[in-house]
Amino acid sequence: MTEPLIDLQAVTKVYPGVKEPAVKALNLAVEPGEILVLVGPSGCGKSTTLRLINRMIEPTSGRIIYEGQDVTKGDPNELRRRMGYVIQQIGLFPHRTIAENIATVPRMLKWPKKKIKERVDELLEVVSMDPSIYRDRYPSELSGGQAQRVGVARALGADPDVLLMDEPFGAIDPITRDRLQNEFLRLQADLKKTIVFVTHDIDEAVKMGDRIAILRDQSEIAQLDRPEVILTDPADEFVENFLGSGAILKTLTLRRVRDIDLDPMVTLKQPVHRSQALSEMNEANTTSAVLLDEQDRPLRWLDERALNSSSSALERSGRPITVQLQPEDTLQDALSAMLQTSSGMSVVVDGRGRYLGCCTIESLAGLLLTQGNETSSP
Amino acid sequence: MSAAIVPTGLSTERKRRSLAAWTSDQLDLIVTPVLALILLVLLITVWSYSTFDPTTERILEPSQLARQLWQQLYVAFFSTVIVVAVAIPIGILVTRENAPRIKDTLVSFLGLGQAIPAYGLIVLFFVWLGQGAWTVIFALATFALLPVLRNTIVGLEQVDSSVIEAGKGMGMRGVQRLTKIELPLAVPVIMAGIRTATVINVGMATLAFLIGGGGLGETINAGLKLNRPTAIFIGAVLVALVALVFDFAGGLAQRYLRPKGV
C-alpha cells in the first residue's frame, strides 16, 4: 500500500453549543490518484468531513496530514491554494470573465502573466470549451453545465494534486449530469488527481468512485471499499438499506461488455451467394447468421427461414442490425440493448465498427450469477 | 440567484436583457437632464424678462448668488464625503463574519436619527458646535448616514454566499475576498445609497443659512421675508438645479462603476 496523500487522524468536530460531535474521531486515508467518494444520508457529516480537509471548517481535535506534513495548524489559505475545491453552487465570480475566474489561484500564486494565459486556454480545452469563444465571456452567459465545467477548470487552475468536490453535479439536470460525469471520468484518466467526492446519490458514488466510504451519523465509516465489494458484500444492515434494493443491478454499471465471453456466430462476408449462405449455415448446424460487409461491419441478421421463403437479395432479407455494442459499454447498456432486440442478442463491434462477436442475454446472466464469488476489478 | 440557472438561447436572451437595461438607463440618464434643462430655460426666461425692483435686485445680486451657490456646494460636498468615509467602513465592519451582532440595532438607531427633522438636527448641532458651515456639514452627515450605511450592509449581504465560499475555498484571504469579490459586487447598491445621500445633502444645505452657514437658503429666506416671489422662485430653482446635477452625476457613477457581467 502506498503512502496516503491525505490522512485524517482521529479528527473530531464539535460545533459550539452542540453536545454531539458532527464528526467523531474519524480516521480516513486517501490514496494518491484515487477517487474516494463519501456517501451517506443527509446530515451524516460527509460535507463537514470534506470541508475539514481544506480547513474550511477547523477541526476541534485530531490531525490532518497532507503530503506527509501536519497541516492542522498553519495558514489555511496556503493549504487551500494547494487543493482544488468545487461546490454544488459553483460560485463563479459573476463580475469576472471566465478567464479571470480560472486564473484566480494562479494569480494569487503570482504566476507570470503569459503562463497564466496559457494555462487558462489549456484548461478550457481540457473541459472541452473553446477558449476563443468563452475566454472573455461572463458567467451569466453560461448554461448550468458549462458553468460547472468552468468551476472544475478553476479548481484545476494551479494544477493542484487534490480536488475536493462537494456534490459538484448535484444541481444539474440528469442528462447533462450523466455527460459531465463521463467527461470527468475521461479527464481523470489523464489527470490522475486525488479526488475526494461527496454525494448523497449511491448511483453516482458507484459510477465515480474507485473506493466508496459509506458514512452514517457523525461521519462514522460504515464501510469503505471498492464499489463492487460494497454492492455484493455489504458490511451490515445499514449499508444494505442505504444501497437499497437492486444493488446487484447497480453492479451492471461496474462491468463492461469485454468481461463477457462472446458467442461465436456464423458470419457471412459479402459478397456471398444465397446458396452458399444456406450451405454454410447447414454445415454449422445453425439457423441464423450475421451478414458482414467487405469491411467486416455487421449488416443484417439472416435466418434460414427468411432465406428460403423469399428470393430477394441477401442485403434485403432477414432483419437489419440496428443496435451494436462496444467492449467499453457497461453491462447495463448491454442489457438495455439486448432487450430492444427480439432475439435477446446483440452484436459487439470494435471502435472502427468491425464485428467482434455476439453477446446473448444468457451469457450476461451467467456473468452476473458467478459474480458473488469473484470480485475482479472492471 | 446562481449562474447555473441561466437557460440556453443566449443570444436572444442577451439582446432582450440589454434592451431592457438600455431603457431603464435611458430613463435614468435622460429624464434628469431634460428636467434640468427645462428648469434652466425657465430660470433664464424669468431672469431676462422680469423687471426687478431695487430690493429684488439687491437679493439677486449675481456675486452674492455665486457665493451662496458655492457655499451650498461646499456644505453638500463635505457632508457627503463624511458620510461615505464613515458609513462604508462601519457597514463593512458590521458585516464581517466575526463581527458582534450590532448591525440591526445600529440601523434602527440611525433610523430614529432620521426621524428627527433635519431642521431640528441642525439646531441641535448648533447648540453643541456653535455657528458656521461645518456645524451644518456635521448635522447633515449624521442625517444622511443611514441610506449609505444601510445600502452598504444590504449590498454586502446580498452577495451570493456561494461566491464568497468559493473564494474562501481557493485560499483568498479575508481582505482579498472583501476587495475583490464583496465590494465590487456591492458597488451598485452602495452607489445608490451615496446618490440618495448626496441629493439629501444638496437639498438640506438650503437650511444652512439658519445658523450662519450661508447657501441659497439666504436668497429664498430674504424673498420670503420681503415678499419677493421672483427671488423665491429663482433661489428655489437654483437649489433644484444643483440637486438634479448631483443626481445625474450619481446616476452616471452608478452606471459606469457597476462591475461588468453583473
Side-chain angles (χ1 to χ4, degrees), chain A residues 51 54 56 75-78 80-81 83-85 87 89-96 101 104-105 108 137-144 146-147 154-155 171, chain B residues 1-8 10 14 17 160-174 176-177 179-182 184-185 259-262:
Chain A
R51 290 155 58 85
N54 66 353
M56 291 292 279
D75 185 357
N77 293 312
E78 298 289 340
R80 288 173 201 151
R81 288 173 198 178
M83 295 178 170
Y85 185 50
I87 54 177
Q89 308 85 341
I90 314 170
L92 293 181
F93 303 149
H95 58 303
R96 301 251 185 123
N101 264 286
T104 307
V105 179
M108 282 193 283
R137 291 213 176 161
Y138 285 92
S140 60
E141 299 170 59
L142 302 179
S143 70
Q146 290 172 328
R154 184 173 67 171
Chain B
M1 196 209 81
S2 101
I5 315 171
V6 176
T8 47
L10 266 177
R14 214 185 323 159
R17 210 187 304 147
D160 189 349
S161 60
S162 66
V163 173
I164 300 172
E165 155 107 0
K168 194 175 172 188
M170 284 186 288
M172 292 177 103
R173 294 173 202 288
Q176 288 173 318
R177 291 200 297 274
T179 56
K180 294 193 170 151
I181 307 176
E182 296 179 65
L185 289 174
K260 273 191 201 158
V262 181

Side-chain angles (χ1 to χ4, degrees), chain A residues 332-352:
Chain A
Q332 192 172 31
D333 300 329
L335 186 62
S336 72
M338 283 184 270
L339 291 177
Q340 281 175 46
T341 65
S342 55
S343 55
M345 195 190 278
S346 173
V347 293
V348 180
V349 297
D350 69 7
R352 294 214 189 100

Side-chain angles (χ1 to χ4, degrees), chain B residues 6 37 41 56 67 71 74 83 101 108 166 175 200 205 217 221:
Chain B
V6 176
L37 206 69
V41 169
T56 310
R67 173 188 53 82
Q71 285 170 327
Y74 183 87
V83 166
R101 312 210 162 277
S108 40
V175 178
I200 290 177
N221 187 46

Side-chain angles (χ1 to χ4, degrees), chain B residues 2 12 50 55 76 81-82 101 128 133 139 146 152 155 202-203 210 238 244 250 252 261:
Chain B
S2 101
T12 52
S50 337
T55 315
V81 167
I82 293 178
R101 312 210 162 277
W128 179 33
L146 183 70
T152 306
V202 172
L210 281 173
L238 275 175
L244 284 175
L252 279 183

